[in-house]
PDB file of all heavy atoms in Angstrom:
ATOM      1  N   ASN A 799     -31.936 -50.776  12.370  1.00 91.00           N
ATOM      2  CA  ASN A 799     -30.685 -50.731  13.122  1.00 91.00           C
ATOM      3  C   ASN A 799     -31.003 -50.217  14.528  1.00 91.00           C
ATOM      4  O   ASN A 799     -31.288 -49.030  14.715  1.00 91.00           O
ATOM      5  CB  ASN A 799     -29.686 -49.812  12.417  1.00 91.00           C
ATOM      6  CG  ASN A 799     -28.332 -49.847  13.108  1.00 91.00           C
ATOM      7  OD1 ASN A 799     -28.230 -50.251  14.271  1.00 91.00           O
ATOM      8  ND2 ASN A 799     -27.306 -49.437  12.392  1.00 91.00           N
ATOM      9  N   SER A 802     -29.343 -47.155  15.899  1.00 88.00           N
ATOM     10  CA  SER A 802     -29.514 -45.862  15.255  1.00 88.00           C
ATOM     11  C   SER A 802     -30.638 -45.065  15.908  1.00 88.00           C
ATOM     12  O   SER A 802     -31.812 -45.412  15.766  1.00 88.00           O
ATOM     13  CB  SER A 802     -29.813 -46.053  13.772  1.00 88.00           C
ATOM     14  OG  SER A 802     -30.420 -44.878  13.251  1.00 88.00           O
ATOM     15  N   GLN A 884     -10.387 -30.901  34.576  1.00 95.00           N
ATOM     16  CA  GLN A 884     -10.268 -29.526  35.052  1.00 95.00           C
ATOM     17  C   GLN A 884     -10.255 -29.460  36.569  1.00 95.00           C
ATOM     18  O   GLN A 884     -10.057 -28.404  37.143  1.00 95.00           O
ATOM     19  CB  GLN A 884     -11.417 -28.690  34.510  1.00 95.00           C
ATOM     20  CG  GLN A 884     -11.409 -28.625  32.997  1.00 95.00           C
ATOM     21  CD  GLN A 884     -12.347 -27.577  32.461  1.00 95.00           C
ATOM     22  OE1 GLN A 884     -12.378 -26.459  32.956  1.00 95.00           O
ATOM     23  NE2 GLN A 884     -13.108 -27.927  31.446  1.00 95.00           N
ATOM     24  N   SER A 889      -7.406 -38.749  33.977  1.00 96.00           N
ATOM     25  CA  SER A 889      -8.291 -39.499  33.098  1.00 96.00           C
ATOM     26  C   SER A 889      -7.460 -40.640  32.528  1.00 96.00           C
ATOM     27  O   SER A 889      -6.242 -40.660  32.671  1.00 96.00           O
ATOM     28  CB  SER A 889      -8.885 -38.617  32.008  1.00 96.00           C
ATOM     29  OG  SER A 889      -7.926 -38.321  31.027  1.00 96.00           O
ATOM     30  N   TYR A 986     -22.822 -32.006  43.823  1.00 92.00           N
ATOM     31  CA  TYR A 986     -22.907 -31.597  42.418  1.00 92.00           C
ATOM     32  C   TYR A 986     -23.785 -30.377  42.219  1.00 92.00           C
ATOM     33  O   TYR A 986     -24.051 -29.985  41.095  1.00 92.00           O
ATOM     34  CB  TYR A 986     -23.491 -32.730  41.564  1.00 92.00           C
ATOM     35  CG  TYR A 986     -22.776 -34.036  41.672  1.00 92.00           C
ATOM     36  CD1 TYR A 986     -23.472 -35.226  41.701  1.00 92.00           C
ATOM     37  CD2 TYR A 986     -21.392 -34.075  41.732  1.00 92.00           C
ATOM     38  CE1 TYR A 986     -22.824 -36.441  41.778  1.00 92.00           C
ATOM     39  CE2 TYR A 986     -20.730 -35.277  41.823  1.00 92.00           C
ATOM     40  CZ  TYR A 986     -21.449 -36.464  41.849  1.00 92.00           C
ATOM     41  OH  TYR A 986     -20.800 -37.652  41.933  1.00 92.00           O
ATOM     42  N   SER A 989     -30.525 -29.584  42.332  1.00 92.00           N
ATOM     43  CA  SER A 989     -31.695 -28.766  42.638  1.00 92.00           C
ATOM     44  C   SER A 989     -32.849 -29.664  43.093  1.00 92.00           C
ATOM     45  O   SER A 989     -32.801 -30.882  42.942  1.00 92.00           O
ATOM     46  CB  SER A 989     -32.128 -28.006  41.397  1.00 92.00           C
ATOM     47  OG  SER A 989     -32.539 -28.917  40.410  1.00 92.00           O
ATOM     48  N   GLN A 996     -34.680 -37.635  39.962  1.00 88.00           N
ATOM     49  CA  GLN A 996     -33.887 -38.835  40.203  1.00 88.00           C
ATOM     50  C   GLN A 996     -34.616 -39.819  41.102  1.00 88.00           C
ATOM     51  O   GLN A 996     -34.589 -41.026  40.889  1.00 88.00           O
ATOM     52  CB  GLN A 996     -32.547 -38.461  40.846  1.00 88.00           C
ATOM     53  CG  GLN A 996     -31.550 -39.595  40.746  1.00 88.00           C
ATOM     54  CD  GLN A 996     -30.467 -39.486  41.785  1.00 88.00           C
ATOM     55  OE1 GLN A 996     -29.966 -38.403  42.051  1.00 88.00           O
ATOM     56  NE2 GLN A 996     -30.108 -40.595  42.384  1.00 88.00           N
ATOM     57  N   ARG A1043      -8.804 -23.528  40.183  1.00 97.00           N
ATOM     58  CA  ARG A1043      -9.535 -23.646  38.915  1.00 97.00           C
ATOM     59  C   ARG A1043     -10.283 -22.336  38.672  1.00 97.00           C
ATOM     60  O   ARG A1043     -11.130 -21.956  39.476  1.00 97.00           O
ATOM     61  CB  ARG A1043     -10.513 -24.821  38.972  1.00 97.00           C
ATOM     62  CG  ARG A1043     -11.335 -24.935  37.697  1.00 97.00           C
ATOM     63  CD  ARG A1043     -12.183 -26.185  37.675  1.00 97.00           C
ATOM     64  NE  ARG A1043     -13.105 -26.117  36.560  1.00 97.00           N
ATOM     65  CZ  ARG A1043     -14.119 -26.951  36.376  1.00 97.00           C
ATOM     66  NH1 ARG A1043     -14.330 -27.928  37.243  1.00 97.00           N
ATOM     67  NH2 ARG A1043     -14.906 -26.826  35.346  1.00 97.00           N
ATOM     68  N   ARG A1061     -22.453 -24.395  39.716  1.00 95.00           N
ATOM     69  CA  ARG A1061     -22.451 -25.809  40.121  1.00 95.00           C
ATOM     70  C   ARG A1061     -21.051 -26.403  40.009  1.00 95.00           C
ATOM     71  O   ARG A1061     -20.598 -27.133  40.887  1.00 95.00           O
ATOM     72  CB  ARG A1061     -23.439 -26.604  39.279  1.00 95.00           C
ATOM     73  CG  ARG A1061     -24.878 -26.345  39.639  1.00 95.00           C
ATOM     74  CD  ARG A1061     -25.799 -27.338  38.960  1.00 95.00           C
ATOM     75  NE  ARG A1061     -25.685 -27.265  37.516  1.00 95.00           N
ATOM     76  CZ  ARG A1061     -26.376 -26.429  36.748  1.00 95.00           C
ATOM     77  NH1 ARG A1061     -27.246 -25.598  37.304  1.00 95.00           N
ATOM     78  NH2 ARG A1061     -26.210 -26.427  35.443  1.00 95.00           N
TER      79      ARG A1061
ATOM     80  P    DG C 150     -30.295 -30.439  37.776  1.00 71.83           P
ATOM     81  OP1  DG C 150     -30.967 -31.540  37.102  1.00 71.83           O
ATOM     82  OP2  DG C 150     -30.696 -29.978  39.127  1.00 71.83           O
ATOM     83  O5'  DG C 150     -28.728 -30.743  37.781  1.00 71.83           O
ATOM     84  C5'  DG C 150     -27.858 -29.890  38.466  1.00 71.83           C
ATOM     85  C4'  DG C 150     -26.571 -30.639  38.696  1.00 71.83           C
ATOM     86  O4'  DG C 150     -26.878 -31.864  39.397  1.00 71.83           O
ATOM     87  C3'  DG C 150     -25.889 -31.033  37.388  1.00 71.83           C
ATOM     88  O3'  DG C 150     -24.608 -30.422  37.401  1.00 71.83           O
ATOM     89  C2'  DG C 150     -25.731 -32.553  37.424  1.00 71.83           C
ATOM     90  C1'  DG C 150     -26.212 -32.964  38.799  1.00 71.83           C
ATOM     91  N9   DG C 150     -27.168 -34.068  38.754  1.00 71.83           N
ATOM     92  C8   DG C 150     -28.297 -34.167  37.988  1.00 71.83           C
ATOM     93  N7   DG C 150     -28.957 -35.269  38.193  1.00 71.83           N
ATOM     94  C5   DG C 150     -28.209 -35.939  39.155  1.00 71.83           C
ATOM     95  C6   DG C 150     -28.410 -37.195  39.779  1.00 71.83           C
ATOM     96  O6   DG C 150     -29.340 -37.989  39.596  1.00 71.83           O
ATOM     97  N1   DG C 150     -27.396 -37.481  40.682  1.00 71.83           N
ATOM     98  C2   DG C 150     -26.332 -36.666  40.972  1.00 71.83           C
ATOM     99  N2   DG C 150     -25.469 -37.112  41.868  1.00 71.83           N
ATOM    100  N3   DG C 150     -26.127 -35.496  40.411  1.00 71.83           N
ATOM    101  C4   DG C 150     -27.099 -35.199  39.511  1.00 71.83           C
ATOM    102  P    DT C 151     -23.737 -30.289  36.187  1.00 71.83           P
ATOM    103  OP1  DT C 151     -23.900 -28.855  35.936  1.00 71.83           O
ATOM    104  OP2  DT C 151     -24.032 -31.274  35.148  1.00 71.83           O
ATOM    105  O5'  DT C 151     -22.260 -30.587  36.723  1.00 71.83           O
ATOM    106  C5'  DT C 151     -21.773 -29.837  37.833  1.00 71.83           C
ATOM    107  C4'  DT C 151     -20.526 -30.487  38.381  1.00 71.83           C
ATOM    108  O4'  DT C 151     -20.908 -31.701  39.067  1.00 71.83           O
ATOM    109  C3'  DT C 151     -19.531 -30.939  37.324  1.00 71.83           C
ATOM    110  O3'  DT C 151     -18.621 -29.892  37.059  1.00 71.83           O
ATOM    111  C2'  DT C 151     -18.817 -32.076  38.016  1.00 71.83           C
ATOM    112  C1'  DT C 151     -19.899 -32.683  38.887  1.00 71.83           C
ATOM    113  N1   DT C 151     -20.519 -33.882  38.301  1.00 71.83           N
ATOM    114  C2   DT C 151     -19.892 -35.091  38.469  1.00 71.83           C
ATOM    115  O2   DT C 151     -18.827 -35.208  39.078  1.00 71.83           O
ATOM    116  N3   DT C 151     -20.522 -36.160  37.916  1.00 71.83           N
ATOM    117  C4   DT C 151     -21.712 -36.143  37.217  1.00 71.83           C
ATOM    118  O4   DT C 151     -22.193 -37.198  36.769  1.00 71.83           O
ATOM    119  C5   DT C 151     -22.321 -34.857  37.054  1.00 71.83           C
ATOM    120  C7   DT C 151     -23.621 -34.748  36.293  1.00 71.83           C
ATOM    121  C6   DT C 151     -21.707 -33.794  37.611  1.00 71.83           C
ATOM    122  P    DA C 152     -17.858 -29.943  35.674  1.00 71.83           P
ATOM    123  OP1  DA C 152     -16.932 -28.803  35.712  1.00 71.83           O
ATOM    124  OP2  DA C 152     -18.822 -30.088  34.571  1.00 71.83           O
ATOM    125  O5'  DA C 152     -17.018 -31.308  35.767  1.00 71.83           O
ATOM    126  C5'  DA C 152     -15.919 -31.385  36.661  1.00 71.83           C
ATOM    127  C4'  DA C 152     -15.257 -32.741  36.522  1.00 71.83           C
ATOM    128  O4'  DA C 152     -16.153 -33.778  36.984  1.00 71.83           O
ATOM    129  C3'  DA C 152     -14.963 -33.144  35.083  1.00 71.83           C
ATOM    130  O3'  DA C 152     -13.775 -32.496  34.649  1.00 71.83           O
ATOM    131  C2'  DA C 152     -14.767 -34.646  35.251  1.00 71.83           C
ATOM    132  C1'  DA C 152     -15.825 -34.988  36.306  1.00 71.83           C
ATOM    133  N9   DA C 152     -17.044 -35.541  35.737  1.00 71.83           N
ATOM    134  C8   DA C 152     -18.159 -34.886  35.281  1.00 71.83           C
ATOM    135  N7   DA C 152     -19.101 -35.686  34.835  1.00 71.83           N
ATOM    136  C5   DA C 152     -18.567 -36.953  35.006  1.00 71.83           C
ATOM    137  C6   DA C 152     -19.058 -38.244  34.734  1.00 71.83           C
ATOM    138  N6   DA C 152     -20.266 -38.485  34.209  1.00 71.83           N
ATOM    139  N1   DA C 152     -18.262 -39.293  35.016  1.00 71.83           N
ATOM    140  C2   DA C 152     -17.059 -39.066  35.539  1.00 71.83           C
ATOM    141  N3   DA C 152     -16.476 -37.903  35.840  1.00 71.83           N
ATOM    142  C4   DA C 152     -17.300 -36.866  35.554  1.00 71.83           C
ATOM    143  P    DC C 153     -13.461 -32.588  33.086  1.00 71.83           P
ATOM    144  OP1  DC C 153     -12.386 -31.629  32.860  1.00 71.83           O
ATOM    145  OP2  DC C 153     -14.706 -32.537  32.294  1.00 71.83           O
ATOM    146  O5'  DC C 153     -12.871 -34.068  32.988  1.00 71.83           O
ATOM    147  C5'  DC C 153     -12.870 -34.755  31.763  1.00 71.83           C
ATOM    148  C4'  DC C 153     -12.795 -36.227  32.071  1.00 71.83           C
ATOM    149  O4'  DC C 153     -13.994 -36.633  32.779  1.00 71.83           O
ATOM    150  C3'  DC C 153     -12.760 -37.105  30.847  1.00 71.83           C
ATOM    151  O3'  DC C 153     -11.388 -37.274  30.489  1.00 71.83           O
ATOM    152  C2'  DC C 153     -13.352 -38.404  31.319  1.00 71.83           C
ATOM    153  C1'  DC C 153     -14.324 -37.970  32.418  1.00 71.83           C
ATOM    154  N1   DC C 153     -15.753 -38.004  32.010  1.00 71.83           N
ATOM    155  C2   DC C 153     -16.364 -39.259  31.869  1.00 71.83           C
ATOM    156  O2   DC C 153     -15.687 -40.271  32.085  1.00 71.83           O
ATOM    157  N3   DC C 153     -17.668 -39.317  31.507  1.00 71.83           N
ATOM    158  C4   DC C 153     -18.350 -38.188  31.283  1.00 71.83           C
ATOM    159  N4   DC C 153     -19.633 -38.288  30.949  1.00 71.83           N
ATOM    160  C5   DC C 153     -17.740 -36.905  31.412  1.00 71.83           C
ATOM    161  C6   DC C 153     -16.458 -36.857  31.770  1.00 71.83           C
ATOM    162  P    DG C 154     -11.012 -37.482  28.960  1.00 71.83           P
ATOM    163  OP1  DG C 154      -9.546 -37.594  28.881  1.00 71.83           O
ATOM    164  OP2  DG C 154     -11.721 -36.491  28.139  1.00 71.83           O
ATOM    165  O5'  DG C 154     -11.655 -38.914  28.648  1.00 71.83           O
ATOM    166  C5'  DG C 154     -11.087 -40.064  29.270  1.00 71.83           C
ATOM    167  C4'  DG C 154     -11.534 -41.295  28.531  1.00 71.83           C
ATOM    168  O4'  DG C 154     -12.967 -41.465  28.689  1.00 71.83           O
ATOM    169  C3'  DG C 154     -11.273 -41.264  27.031  1.00 71.83           C
ATOM    170  O3'  DG C 154     -10.825 -42.563  26.659  1.00 71.83           O
ATOM    171  C2'  DG C 154     -12.617 -40.897  26.413  1.00 71.83           C
ATOM    172  C1'  DG C 154     -13.623 -41.435  27.431  1.00 71.83           C
ATOM    173  N9   DG C 154     -14.813 -40.601  27.590  1.00 71.83           N
ATOM    174  C8   DG C 154     -14.854 -39.230  27.725  1.00 71.83           C
ATOM    175  N7   DG C 154     -16.068 -38.764  27.871  1.00 71.83           N
ATOM    176  C5   DG C 154     -16.881 -39.897  27.838  1.00 71.83           C
ATOM    177  C6   DG C 154     -18.288 -40.030  27.942  1.00 71.83           C
ATOM    178  O6   DG C 154     -19.119 -39.140  28.090  1.00 71.83           O
ATOM    179  N1   DG C 154     -18.690 -41.360  27.851  1.00 71.83           N
ATOM    180  C2   DG C 154     -17.849 -42.425  27.696  1.00 71.83           C
ATOM    181  N2   DG C 154     -18.418 -43.622  27.634  1.00 71.83           N
ATOM    182  N3   DG C 154     -16.527 -42.327  27.589  1.00 71.83           N
ATOM    183  C4   DG C 154     -16.117 -41.042  27.669  1.00 71.83           C
ATOM    184  P    DT C 155     -10.609 -42.950  25.136  1.00 71.83           P
ATOM    185  OP1  DT C 155      -9.561 -43.968  25.125  1.00 71.83           O
ATOM    186  OP2  DT C 155     -10.480 -41.718  24.327  1.00 71.83           O
ATOM    187  O5'  DT C 155     -11.987 -43.646  24.752  1.00 71.83           O
ATOM    188  C5'  DT C 155     -12.390 -44.798  25.478  1.00 71.83           C
ATOM    189  C4'  DT C 155     -13.601 -45.413  24.821  1.00 71.83           C
ATOM    190  O4'  DT C 155     -14.747 -44.578  25.079  1.00 71.83           O
ATOM    191  C3'  DT C 155     -13.488 -45.543  23.297  1.00 71.83           C
ATOM    192  O3'  DT C 155     -13.786 -46.882  22.972  1.00 71.83           O
ATOM    193  C2'  DT C 155     -14.510 -44.557  22.749  1.00 71.83           C
ATOM    194  C1'  DT C 155     -15.504 -44.439  23.893  1.00 71.83           C
ATOM    195  N1   DT C 155     -16.203 -43.125  24.017  1.00 71.83           N
ATOM    196  C2   DT C 155     -17.570 -43.106  24.168  1.00 71.83           C
ATOM    197  O2   DT C 155     -18.247 -44.107  24.178  1.00 71.83           O
ATOM    198  N3   DT C 155     -18.104 -41.869  24.294  1.00 71.83           N
ATOM    199  C4   DT C 155     -17.437 -40.650  24.290  1.00 71.83           C
ATOM    200  O4   DT C 155     -18.036 -39.590  24.429  1.00 71.83           O
ATOM    201  C5   DT C 155     -16.010 -40.741  24.139  1.00 71.83           C
ATOM    202  C7   DT C 155     -15.182 -39.491  24.127  1.00 71.83           C
ATOM    203  C6   DT C 155     -15.460 -41.959  24.009  1.00 71.83           C
ATOM    204  P    DT C 156     -13.601 -47.396  21.481  1.00 71.83           P
ATOM    205  OP1  DT C 156     -13.173 -48.795  21.583  1.00 71.83           O
ATOM    206  OP2  DT C 156     -12.831 -46.416  20.697  1.00 71.83           O
ATOM    207  O5'  DT C 156     -15.101 -47.380  20.925  1.00 71.83           O
ATOM    208  C5'  DT C 156     -16.067 -48.245  21.512  1.00 71.83           C
ATOM    209  C4'  DT C 156     -17.430 -47.834  21.045  1.00 71.83           C
ATOM    210  O4'  DT C 156     -17.715 -46.513  21.526  1.00 71.83           O
ATOM    211  C3'  DT C 156     -17.561 -47.719  19.534  1.00 71.83           C
ATOM    212  O3'  DT C 156     -18.007 -48.956  19.035  1.00 71.83           O
ATOM    213  C2'  DT C 156     -18.603 -46.624  19.339  1.00 71.83           C
ATOM    214  C1'  DT C 156     -18.718 -45.971  20.705  1.00 71.83           C
ATOM    215  N1   DT C 156     -18.564 -44.496  20.734  1.00 71.83           N
ATOM    216  C2   DT C 156     -19.664 -43.743  21.005  1.00 71.83           C
ATOM    217  O2   DT C 156     -20.756 -44.216  21.190  1.00 71.83           O
ATOM    218  N3   DT C 156     -19.442 -42.392  21.035  1.00 71.83           N
ATOM    219  C4   DT C 156     -18.229 -41.744  20.837  1.00 71.83           C
ATOM    220  O4   DT C 156     -18.144 -40.527  20.899  1.00 71.83           O
ATOM    221  C5   DT C 156     -17.107 -42.603  20.555  1.00 71.83           C
ATOM    222  C7   DT C 156     -15.762 -42.002  20.318  1.00 71.83           C
ATOM    223  C6   DT C 156     -17.329 -43.924  20.515  1.00 71.83           C
ATOM    224  P    DG C 158     -23.628 -48.762  13.566  1.00 71.83           P
ATOM    225  OP1  DG C 158     -24.741 -49.708  13.427  1.00 71.83           O
ATOM    226  OP2  DG C 158     -22.448 -48.844  12.692  1.00 71.83           O
ATOM    227  O5'  DG C 158     -24.213 -47.293  13.467  1.00 71.83           O
ATOM    228  C5'  DG C 158     -25.271 -46.940  14.340  1.00 71.83           C
ATOM    229  C4'  DG C 158     -25.762 -45.558  14.011  1.00 71.83           C
ATOM    230  O4'  DG C 158     -24.767 -44.592  14.430  1.00 71.83           O
ATOM    231  C3'  DG C 158     -26.010 -45.292  12.532  1.00 71.83           C
ATOM    232  O3'  DG C 158     -27.231 -44.585  12.428  1.00 71.83           O
ATOM    233  C2'  DG C 158     -24.799 -44.472  12.093  1.00 71.83           C
ATOM    234  C1'  DG C 158     -24.457 -43.718  13.366  1.00 71.83           C
ATOM    235  N9   DG C 158     -23.053 -43.355  13.531  1.00 71.83           N
ATOM    236  C8   DG C 158     -21.955 -44.142  13.329  1.00 71.83           C
ATOM    237  N7   DG C 158     -20.820 -43.532  13.579  1.00 71.83           N
ATOM    238  C5   DG C 158     -21.208 -42.260  13.974  1.00 71.83           C
ATOM    239  C6   DG C 158     -20.427 -41.148  14.370  1.00 71.83           C
ATOM    240  O6   DG C 158     -19.204 -41.072  14.451  1.00 71.83           O
ATOM    241  N1   DG C 158     -21.225 -40.051  14.689  1.00 71.83           N
ATOM    242  C2   DG C 158     -22.583 -40.028  14.636  1.00 71.83           C
ATOM    243  N2   DG C 158     -23.173 -38.880  14.975  1.00 71.83           N
ATOM    244  N3   DG C 158     -23.336 -41.057  14.265  1.00 71.83           N
ATOM    245  C4   DG C 158     -22.579 -42.140  13.954  1.00 71.83           C
ATOM    246  P    DA C 159     -27.808 -44.064  11.054  1.00 71.83           P
ATOM    247  OP1  DA C 159     -29.278 -44.087  11.160  1.00 71.83           O
ATOM    248  OP2  DA C 159     -27.121 -44.767   9.957  1.00 71.83           O
ATOM    249  O5'  DA C 159     -27.328 -42.547  11.058  1.00 71.83           O
ATOM    250  C5'  DA C 159     -27.818 -41.699  12.079  1.00 71.83           C
ATOM    251  C4'  DA C 159     -27.350 -40.284  11.827  1.00 71.83           C
ATOM    252  O4'  DA C 159     -25.928 -40.190  12.082  1.00 71.83           O
ATOM    253  C3'  DA C 159     -27.558 -39.773  10.396  1.00 71.83           C
ATOM    254  O3'  DA C 159     -28.121 -38.475  10.485  1.00 71.83           O
ATOM    255  C2'  DA C 159     -26.158 -39.768   9.785  1.00 71.83           C
ATOM    256  C1'  DA C 159     -25.284 -39.531  11.004  1.00 71.83           C
ATOM    257  N9   DA C 159     -23.932 -40.091  10.922  1.00 71.83           N
ATOM    258  C8   DA C 159     -23.586 -41.357  10.539  1.00 71.83           C
ATOM    259  N7   DA C 159     -22.293 -41.596  10.590  1.00 71.83           N
ATOM    260  C5   DA C 159     -21.757 -40.400  11.039  1.00 71.83           C
ATOM    261  C6   DA C 159     -20.439 -39.993  11.307  1.00 71.83           C
ATOM    262  N6   DA C 159     -19.370 -40.785  11.152  1.00 71.83           N
ATOM    263  N1   DA C 159     -20.258 -38.741  11.754  1.00 71.83           N
ATOM    264  C2   DA C 159     -21.319 -37.945  11.911  1.00 71.83           C
ATOM    265  N3   DA C 159     -22.599 -38.216  11.697  1.00 71.83           N
ATOM    266  C4   DA C 159     -22.758 -39.469  11.253  1.00 71.83           C
TER     267       DA C 159
END
Side-chain angles (χ1 to χ4, degrees):
Chain A
N799 185 341
S802 160
Q884 298 192 45
S889 74
Y986 305 141
S989 64
Q996 196 202 319
R1043 177 173 170 191
R1061 286 191 300 273

